[in-house]
Amino acid sequence: MVTKYTEYYNQAERLYSAIVKKSSANKATYTPDELRKVAWELRKNGDMSDFVFDYIANLTYDLDDSTLEFTDEELAERQKKLGDLILDYEAGNVSVDEEETKLGTLISQLSMRSREAVVDADSFSDLKKYMHVKREIQDVLEIELQSLFKKTKGAVFLVGNVGDGKSHLLAFMKDKYDAEFESANVDVVNDATESDRPDQTAIETLLRKLEPFSDSMMYRGSERLIMAINLGVITNLLTELKKRGGYTRLVDYLTKSGVVTGELSDYEDEFFSNVSFFNQRSFEIQNGQTNSPFYEEMFNRVFSKRENNPFYKAYKEDIQEQKARVLHKNFELMLDERIKKSVIYLLIRAQIEYKQIISARVLMNFMYDIVFTNREHITYDSYLPFLIFDNPEASTLLDTISKLDPTSNQTKAIDELSIDLFHAPNVLDIIEKRLGSSNYEQFEFLFNLFRDKEQIPRYFVVLVNTLLRVEFLLDARNSLLDSQSYKEFVSTIQDVRDNGMSFSLFELVDRSLDFWNGNIGKDEYVVKMRAKNATTVAVKLELEPVSMRAQGTEIILTIDNANAMSGKETSEIEIDYRTFELLQKVVKGYVLKKEDRQAAIKFDEFVSAITRNTKSTKTNLLYSPKIGKTFELKGSYGKVSLKEINE
């Protein structure tokens, strides 16, 4: 073919050779049309992504057009882009359409964007049946349903947060007890956030469904209702019921049962009952370590070699058909029990440290996000260690987990490791020795992407980060990479759960009070109000722990102050992980910033309240930061004396 852009044309021929070499296509005499045909066949078979195919098609059309004119800048840009694609193909780094594989098609159904993510109580697909994992709440709901089937009239409220699995559980029950639902004529409200009529709001729809349970209709009819409803919606519903009136019994039940606040009581009613997700623990603590049977089983439904696992079956069929993709390599890594445990450990840390809500739906989407990539070019950031720790834009959960990236640990040991690697004559040999041969072999494909690039600073940094992430995934509790504060907080939660008290936590809170508003160096005296240069008053606290309870990822402390004003002796404070970590820093001399107080606003308010409610004693202390002196303010027999303390 005659063209004035000979170099550009020759580049396209080189691309054709690279594609044919990497595929099973038969090589023919090169023409732009032949390149287009090969690309089309690969696209049809799922071996080339739409993006790459569209680029090649447009390229061949340009080469076929003898009238086409390019400026020097346009030609240089096109040649660079084509050159990059050739290098990617020759290195095997070109993205293909993962969904064209059997595993890709199946695992995509875990995504939030999949139709499978929309749960219908009247539909329970084979995949949903397979992914169903029994939890304690299922037994509770079954008991309430059996009772509802036998009642003349009644309503069950299934309450939780968005994505908890309410609709999934309800669909499972409807599938299991289809005949009972039918014979008892149970009305199912599966999504209380939507209206079933265009002329009604969601709340109006709920009110219509609940009309048979109004005061005037309570003892008429034989309606049976089960309603899956979110906490925010049931709160709005209660407000509307109170406003409208005529629902005294229902309002009493929703209020006294605690179903609206999530703090459930034993209050019962012959017509109403509730099943709440709020008492469900998604993780357990044993011997100071966290685990989650629910998460483990959910992960095993996808990432395991069980014979009945459709995901593993699809994976094996793709491998046999030579359709291995990046997805399959990531899937292989997740089959490793060590890596699976480390990922679950990260999920629990996200819950404890950042109060991340992880519903069943969010969990399945997470499993999709950490193995599936739609990136244009396949490189190191397409693989599991980067999809987990360096993928914050994919979801809120992955944004949280990016904050737990082991590469953010600034420790002396990690600094020394970086220096040793930087000065090593062969970095990859050192990494292999550090990881061990079998572990290195497992990730060799990833480390090889950095071969001959180790001396380039930006690649060296990424290589070190890769090593740290791999080490973490192989052993999340490695002391080099784990958080000591997190371990101590988990142990404290277990102590409170098992013994009802943690004296080390009380001591931490007590000592923190001495430093929160500034320390004047006198035990038991706490600065009442912080002030930069103004004289401050310190009052004497006499604190004793009354009780402690673990509530979710928080610990609730009840404390008595023997030196408090009448009626103000008892105070309560919630300690979450962020507050716990901050208190540990405070007692070691850390000076609080404004954002620290905002982050620990509940503790800041607790300090203000407990010092404000402390009664004036015969002796208080005054501290003047301007002159750096402390004075004893003493009242006796109607007289007040001020004496400098020279200690």
Side-chain angles (χ1 to χ4, degrees):
M1 179 180 177
V2 179
T3 175
K4 57 183 173 181
Y5 303 118
T6 305
E7 188 178 345
Y8 190 35
Y9 183 89
N10 290 339
Q11 270 187 300
E13 184 174 359
R14 181 180 166 190
L15 174 64
Y16 172 74
S17 297
I19 291 174
V20 171
K21 187 176 180 180
K22 291 290 182 180
S23 69
S24 56
N26 295 321
K27 188 171 183 179
T29 302
Y30 168 73
T31 64
D33 187 55
E34 192 62 35
L35 172 57
R36 188 163 55 246
K37 284 179 182 177
V38 170
W40 171 243
E41 287 301 317
L42 293 175
R43 175 65 194 92
K44 280 198 305 181
N45 295 331
D47 294 322
M48 181 177 287
S49 69
D50 287 337
F51 180 89
V52 175
F53 173 75
D54 288 345
Y55 170 77
I56 291 175
N58 289 328
L59 166 67
T60 59
Y61 294 142
D62 285 351
L63 294 173
D64 274 335
D65 186 354
S66 59
T67 65
L68 204 61
E69 295 284 343
F70 298 129
T71 65
D72 290 344
E73 291 78 11
E74 288 173 337
L75 181 60
E77 184 179 342
R78 286 168 182 264
Q79 286 183 300
K80 182 182 183 306
K81 190 168 185 179
L82 178 53
D84 288 342
L85 182 59
I86 292 167
L87 291 174
D88 283 336
Y89 247 110
E90 290 176 341
N93 295 337
V94 177
S95 174
V96 295
D97 194 336
E98 304 276 13
E99 291 190 18
E100 291 293 332
T101 63
K102 291 178 181 177
L103 179 59
T105 300
L106 190 58
I107 214 160
S108 293
Q109 295 181 53
L110 300 179
S111 167
M112 287 280 200
R113 296 176 289 278
S114 166
R115 192 179 300 176
E116 281 285 325
V118 181
V119 183
D120 180 356
D122 294 319
S123 172
F124 205 65
S125 68
D126 289 341
L127 181 63
K128 290 191 179 82
K129 288 178 183 177
Y130 173 74
M131 290 301 296
H132 177 76
V133 174
K134 185 177 179 180
R135 291 186 272 180
E136 289 179 14
I137 195 170
Q138 180 176 323
D139 293 330
V140 179
L141 181 57
E142 287 199 69
I143 292 169
E144 293 300 336
L145 280 175
Q146 294 297 341
S147 175
L148 181 64
F149 294 148
K150 296 172 185 175
K151 283 182 179 180
T152 303
K153 186 172 187 174
V156 178
F157 296 93
L158 181 59
V159 187
N161 283 314
V162 176
D164 268 338
K166 299 181 296 298
S167 297
H168 170 86
L169 186 55
L170 196 49
F172 174 82
M173 290 298 180
K174 202 162 184 299
D175 182 73
K176 183 176 180 179
Y177 297 106
D178 186 52
E180 289 86 343
F181 271 89
E182 187 71 29
S183 62
N185 195 26
V186 177
D187 188 8
V188 177
V189 180
N190 183 50
D191 188 352
T193 61
E194 293 185 1
S195 171
D196 60 0
R197 291 185 182 177
D199 60 335
Q200 288 187 333
T201 64
I203 292 294
E204 287 171 339
T205 295
L206 295 181
L207 290 169
R208 174 167 53 80
K209 296 282 187 180
L210 289 168
E211 277 179 12
F213 300 94
S214 63
D215 296 342
S216 61
M217 300 287 289
M218 188 66 74
Y219 291 96
R220 302 181 197 172
S222 57
E223 291 82 4
R224 299 176 186 87
L225 171 71
I226 181 164
M227 182 180 291
I229 188 167
N230 297 334
L231 182 61
V233 177
I234 202 169
T235 302
N236 294 337
L237 174 64
L238 178 59
T239 301
E240 191 62 30
L241 289 170
K242 288 178 179 178
K243 188 192 300 182
R244 294 203 175 197
Y247 289 89
T248 309
R249 189 161 187 161
L250 178 54
V251 167
D252 277 353
Y253 176 76
L254 294 177
T255 304
K256 295 176 181 178
S257 66
V259 67
V260 175
T261 61
E263 298 177 6
L264 301 178
S265 71
D266 295 328
Y267 184 78
E268 294 181 354
D269 186 281
E270 64 176 295
F271 290 103
F272 306 116
S273 64
N274 75 81
V275 178
S276 176
F277 276 81
F278 292 111
N279 285 343
Q280 290 293 299
R281 286 183 186 173
S282 56
F283 65 88
E284 299 171 355
I285 303 174
Q286 295 176 338
N287 301 320
Q289 294 191 349
T290 55
N291 63 79
S292 171
F294 174 65
Y295 288 168
E296 286 173 14
E297 185 54 33
M298 285 290 285
F299 270 79
N300 284 331
R301 293 294 165 102
V302 178
F303 306 114
S304 71
K305 296 181 180 181
R306 295 173 179 173
E307 288 185 11
N308 68 330
N309 180 359
F311 295 93
Y312 184 61
K313 183 181 177 183
Y315 161 80
K316 287 197 299 182
E317 289 176 358
D318 284 340
I319 297 299
Q320 288 169 0
E321 295 172 13
Q322 297 184 338
K323 287 190 173 182
R325 307 282 187 265
V326 173
L327 165 64
H328 297 76
K329 180 57 72 174
N330 289 332
F331 186 86
E332 282 175 23
L333 292 174
M334 283 303 299
L335 292 174
D336 187 315
E337 290 297 325
R338 298 170 301 172
I339 295 174
K340 208 157 34 183
K341 285 181 180 178
S342 294
V343 173
I344 292 170
Y345 170 77
L346 278 171
L347 292 173
I348 297 173
R349 271 189 69 177
Q351 286 183 275
I352 292 176
E353 291 195 26
Y354 294 94
K355 300 184 180 180
Q356 177 75 47
I357 296 173
I358 304 176
S359 64
R361 194 185 306 168
V362 168
L363 184 62
M364 286 189 284
N365 186 72
F366 172 79
M367 288 191 274
Y368 164 83
D369 280 336
I370 63 173
V371 296
F372 198 98
T373 180
N374 274 322
R375 299 183 183 185
E376 177 184 342
H377 297 293
I378 302 303
T379 183
Y380 56 82
D381 62 0
S382 302
Y383 291 100
L384 186 73
F386 289 84
L387 292 179
I388 290 175
F389 291 112
D390 198 12
N391 196 16
E393 69 284 350
S395 69
T396 304
L397 176 54
L398 279 167
D399 181 53
T400 299
I401 286 179
S402 69
K403 298 169 186 172
L404 301 172
D405 188 348
T407 65
S408 61
N409 283 5
Q410 297 299 317
T411 65
K412 183 180 179 182
I414 290 177
D415 288 343
E416 289 174 351
L417 170 62
S418 298
I419 292 169
D420 290 344
L421 290 173
F422 184 77
H423 292 292
N426 192 323
V427 178
L428 296 184
D429 285 351
I430 300 297
I431 290 175
E432 181 177 4
K433 187 176 180 181
R434 181 179 176 86
L435 290 176
S437 297
S438 60
N439 289 336
Y440 182 80
E441 186 178 335
Q442 191 175 5
F443 287 92
E444 189 172 9
F445 72 93
L446 184 53
F447 289 114
N448 277 342
L449 295 176
F450 300 95
R451 192 170 292 280
D452 301 324
K453 299 177 183 176
E454 306 96 315
Q455 303 307 315
I456 303 173
R458 66 187 180 95
Y459 282 111
F460 175 78
V461 171
V462 179
L463 176 59
V464 173
N465 288 348
T466 303
L467 171 61
L468 293 175
R469 288 165 178 164
V470 166
E471 285 194 354
F472 186 92
L473 290 174
L474 291 172
D475 183 9
R477 293 178 170 87
N478 184 315
S479 59
L480 177 67
L481 304 168
D482 203 7
S483 163
Q484 187 61 32
S485 291
Y486 173 76
K487 288 180 180 178
E488 291 173 9
F489 185 66
V490 167
S491 294
T492 303
I493 292 179
Q494 184 179 8
D495 198 13
V496 173
R497 282 184 181 179
D498 294 348
N499 306 312
M501 186 64 66
S502 170
F503 290 102
S504 62
L505 178 61
F506 171 72
E507 184 182 359
L508 177 64
V509 170
D510 196 21
R511 288 180 60 210
S512 298
L513 290 167
D514 295 342
F515 294 91
W516 195 260
N517 288 330
N519 183 262
I520 61 170
K522 289 284 285 183
D523 290 342
E524 296 183 326
Y525 280 87
V526 176
V527 174
K528 201 168 185 178
M529 292 180 66
R530 60 185 178 277
K532 267 191 175 180
N533 295 311
T535 300
T536 57
V537 178
V539 294
K540 188 175 184 179
L541 302 182
E542 296 179 20
L543 304 182
E544 288 292 332
V546 177
S547 65
M548 295 184 190
R549 69 181 188 277
Q551 184 173 295
T553 58
E554 297 178 341
I555 300 170
I556 315 298
L557 284 77
T558 303
I559 295 174
D560 261 3
N561 179 12
N563 202 26
M565 292 182 282
S566 178
K568 304 285 187 179
E569 294 89 353
T570 303
S571 300
E572 201 172 73
I573 177 61
E574 297 176 9
I575 304 294
D576 58 14
Y577 173 76
R578 288 287 145 207
T579 303
F580 180 84
E581 184 184 41
L582 184 60
L583 297 187
Q584 286 189 322
K585 291 163 67 177
V586 166
V587 298
K588 292 176 182 176
Y590 175 76
V591 179
L592 290 166
K593 302 182 181 67
K594 184 179 179 181
E595 53 266 31
D596 294 323
R597 295 183 186 278
Q598 290 173 341
I601 185 68
K602 289 183 179 179
F603 193 84
D604 196 47
E605 291 171 349
F606 163 74
V607 176
S608 297
I610 203 168
T611 53
R612 184 173 61 249
N613 294 330
T614 297
K615 60 189 176 186
S616 297
T617 58
K618 290 182 179 180
T619 304
N620 288 310
L621 301 180
L622 298 180
Y623 174 69
S624 174
K626 281 188 176 181
I627 58 176
K629 292 184 177 181
T630 302
F631 299 87
E632 181 184 79
L633 182 65
K634 193 170 184 178
S636 180
Y637 301 106
K639 295 182 179 180
V640 177
S641 63
L642 188 66
K643 183 177 72 173
E644 182 182 345
I645 298 175
N646 295 316
E647 297 176 4

